[in-house]
Amino acid sequence: MHAASDKEIDQLAGGYGAFQPDVAGGLRAVRLRIATNEIPAAPVRPLRPRRWYAVAAAAAVLLALGYFTLLAGNVAIANEDSAPLATVLPDGTEVLLQQGATLRYDRSFNRAERRVSLQGQAFFQVTPDLDRPFLVANAGTELRVTGTAFNLRIDGQEMEVEVSEGSVALQRGALSTPVNAGECGLAKVGKAFTVLPAPNLNRHAWRTGKLHFVDTPLSEVLQTIRNNFAVSVELSNDCDFPVAGTFRADNPAAVLTAIARLGGGQVTPLGGRTDAFQLSLDCQD
Amino acid sequence: MGPSPIDTDQQLMLRLRGGDADALDELFRRHYVSLCQTANRLLRNEQESEDLIQDFFVSLWEKRENLPPDLSAVGPYLRRAARNRCLNFLRDRKRLPLDDGELPEHLPAAEPATSLEHRELEQRIQRAIDLLPERCRLVFVMSRFEEMSHKEIAASLDISPKTVENQMTRAYRFLREWLALVLLLTSMGAAPG
């Protein structure tokens, strides 16, 4: 038996701390973080109902912008204006409501849990709190969050969540499906949850002003625009072609015009409305 | 034009400074594993290490214009910057040791090795390093793996160079004794008492 020398110790210790990290996964995470950080902030009207007296004083103004009701401690915040409406919930969670969206919660919010309901589309930055899960329930499905950022669209019984930071879970009965950053989860009544990759965070476009497509079929592009801006878009014929590129998405008309140009056609508002468009393309096949 | 495999790290850094995202990707592919391992030696947590090194690359991109223009030793530069991040991370979370700490009096985990194969002895030693008091462990890691001078280690842990020296002596003595015990138990084929 000999005592080991320092040199032998050094040799034996050589692999200390070695492990094999996931390089491709790490690179995806870095790209996503960079893309998310580079998104310019959309202009918004702030609404911070933290102090009730301030809210009461602002009621007259709010009536013009959206509406905000307090009945027996129940709160409903609706945005009827075209600019997104920013609000802060009692737990510090920040919510940005798209035009036409209504967020509700009651007086039990932030006691044992943080339960809200939504109709329409909103972006949430949920304050982390492991003890009080943040829950959004709709048509038998529950979205469970502890602290993360995501875009949520609820249209009737359909719920679509696209996560930009952290992760959330879609739950129904005993079934629970995680949705991670850079993924989109879809819940429809009577169907299994679907989770799709969403590296471009296109569902956030109404807020971020940016759409990025990589060889995406036109039909899918149009659906993204419909869901994003709550507009109707008709296609005059059966044209379909892959769309690639980054589009400024400040308003639906601008994006549709850019896409119409790709297909050698034009876009016209239907009946003078601002939320319905017809796309006429010239495609030969 | 994207980076080609023959681009040197130095050329990649120049491209990164100029806003070439492909250069960042290539630097990531080349250095991610070794930087994660450096972080893991200090943090002893693989997930934290990966998160921290990813943060580091995000900030390399966001602060690319402030990168030194004439960087010749890119590897050591990245490694030093990553290490500083780790130490700040530990400091922010109050995980930097405030005193020398105590070595374990009993050696509860000293079991005879099933064989005296090199691979097994390596694992034993690596586990024994984790038994060192945290200050002693960090000093050992910085000196042996990060090849930092005693002066650099002293500055980054806010201790005296003399303490660094003492901790190195202490680490080697403990590891030698530990190894001797494992070898002894193995040769006796006995269970630890």
Side-chain angles (χ1 to χ4, degrees):
Chain A
M1 179 79 40
H2 73 290
S5 69
D6 290 358
K7 209 170 167 188
E8 281 172 283
I9 300 263
D10 283 351
Q11 277 172 359
L12 286 171
Y16 181 71
F19 72 112
Q20 268 310 316
D22 171 9
V23 180
L27 186 53
R28 273 197 305 277
V30 166
R31 284 188 190 138
L32 182 69
R33 283 268 311 281
I34 288 174
T36 314
N37 291 357
E38 280 178 356
I39 285 168
V44 292
R45 293 172 296 117
L47 167 66
R48 295 177 177 257
R50 267 182 172 153
R51 290 185 296 211
W52 301 118
Y53 63 83
V55 169
V61 180
L62 287 169
L63 280 175
L65 300 173
Y67 66 81
F68 184 92
T69 52
L70 293 164
L71 286 170
N74 295 339
V75 179
I77 304 169
N79 183 15
E80 293 176 345
D81 197 77
S82 60
L85 178 69
T87 184
V88 180
L89 305 185
D91 66 328
T93 290
E94 295 182 25
V95 186
L96 195 62
L97 293 166
Q98 193 182 25
Q99 181 175 29
T102 306
L103 180 79
R104 291 170 205 278
Y105 56 94
D106 67 25
R107 62 193 334 167
S108 69
F109 181 86
N110 209 23
R111 285 185 195 158
E113 53 186 28
R114 300 175 283 172
R115 192 175 280 280
V116 302
S117 69
L118 174 75
Q119 267 308 319
Q121 183 153 242
F123 173 71
F124 291 78
Q125 268 182 305
V126 175
T127 304
D129 185 345
L130 287 171
D131 295 330
R132 294 183 192 83
F134 192 99
L135 305 164
V136 192
N138 187 64
T141 294
E142 198 167 72
L143 180 77
R144 180 170 285 262
V145 186
T146 45
T148 184
F150 58 89
N151 188 80
L152 180 63
R153 188 177 61 84
I154 295 183
D155 182 4
Q157 299 197 314
E158 188 178 310
M159 192 169 187
E160 183 188 63
V161 62
E162 188 176 80
V163 180
S164 50
E165 278 170 47
S167 70
V168 302
L170 284 170
Q171 303 190 327
R172 189 190 295 145
L175 190 70
S176 176
T177 302
V179 185
N180 299 313
E183 291 180 343
C184 174
L186 188 63
K188 287 183 178 177
V189 169
K191 289 192 180 168
F193 297 139
T194 347
V195 177
L196 302 164
N200 301 313
L201 300 178
N202 279 344
R203 289 165 190 85
H204 291 58
W206 62 275
R207 178 178 69 83
T208 61
K210 199 169 110 180
L211 279 166
H212 183 71
F213 297 109
V214 182
D215 291 337
T216 311
L218 179 66
S219 50
E220 204 180 311
V221 169
L222 294 184
Q223 194 54 43
T224 303
I225 293 170
R226 286 186 194 106
N227 290 346
N228 243 295
F229 301 101
V231 293
S232 107
V233 182
E234 284 177 20
L235 195 56
S236 63
N237 49 23
D238 287 338
C239 277
D240 207 352
F241 52 84
V243 177
T246 303
F247 299 87
R248 283 198 65 81
D250 300 329
N251 63 73
V255 189
L256 287 169
T257 306
I259 287 170
R261 212 171 284 145
L262 283 179
Q266 55 182 5
V267 60
T268 36
L270 276 179
R273 289 164 60 188
T274 53
D275 62 347
F277 302 90
Q278 180 162 38
L279 206 56
S280 323
L281 301 177
D282 176 26
C283 52
Q284 301 106 3
D285 45 1
Chain B
M1 202 175 72
S4 65
I6 51 162
D7 273 335
T8 63
D9 280 357
Q10 199 176 349
Q11 287 167 320
L12 289 172
M13 283 301 261
L14 271 175
R15 289 183 179 203
L16 171 60
R17 261 186 113 231
D20 181 349
D22 291 343
L24 182 80
D25 287 4
E26 183 59 24
L27 283 167
F28 186 93
R29 287 191 205 96
R30 289 187 192 179
H31 296 281
Y32 185 59
V33 172
S34 73
L35 291 176
C36 281
Q37 294 184 350
T38 286
N40 190 36
R41 286 191 198 111
L42 294 166
L43 306 180
R44 299 310 285 137
N45 182 316
E46 294 177 7
Q47 187 59 52
E48 280 177 0
S49 301
E50 287 206 54
D51 289 349
L52 188 138
I53 298 302
Q54 288 168 19
D55 278 354
F56 172 50
F57 276 94
V58 171
S59 88
L60 271 183
W61 174 255
E62 288 174 348
K63 301 191 176 137
R64 58 188 179 272
E65 284 155 20
N66 303 333
L67 288 171
D70 50 351
L71 206 52
S72 53
V74 174
Y77 170 84
L78 295 176
R79 193 161 167 178
R80 192 167 58 243
R83 210 163 57 208
N84 287 341
R85 270 182 175 254
C86 291
L87 290 169
N88 288 337
F89 178 90
L90 291 174
R91 190 169 294 121
D92 291 347
R93 280 156 192 76
K94 313 251 179 286
R95 276 161 57 180
L96 276 191
L98 299 172
D99 56 37
D100 292 348
E102 297 294 325
L103 285 165
E105 270 187 46
H106 306 287
L107 298 176
E111 290 169 20
T114 49
S115 71
L116 289 178
E117 277 176 31
H118 190 69
R119 179 89 199 93
E120 175 145 10
L121 286 180
E122 276 181 351
Q123 287 173 355
R124 291 309 175 102
I125 275 293
Q126 290 165 19
R127 264 182 273 157
I129 294 172
D130 285 333
L131 290 175
L132 292 169
E134 186 63 1
R135 176 177 284 173
C136 187
R137 190 188 72 80
L138 285 172
V139 166
F140 182 77
V141 164
M142 289 181 186
S143 171
R144 276 297 155 263
F145 300 109
E146 296 303 318
E147 289 153 6
M148 290 165 71
S149 71
H150 284 194
K151 208 171 143 191
E152 283 177 288
I153 298 172
S156 53
L157 292 178
D158 200 16
I159 53 181
S160 70
K162 185 75 197 152
T163 306
V164 173
E165 219 162 279
N166 291 342
Q167 295 302 317
M168 281 307 288
T169 312
R170 202 175 172 214
Y172 275 121
R173 191 192 310 129
F174 176 77
L175 294 174
R176 269 198 312 270
E177 286 171 5
W178 172 265
L179 191 62
L181 182 67
V182 169
L183 292 173
L184 179 69
L185 288 171
T186 306
S187 66
M188 287 164 55

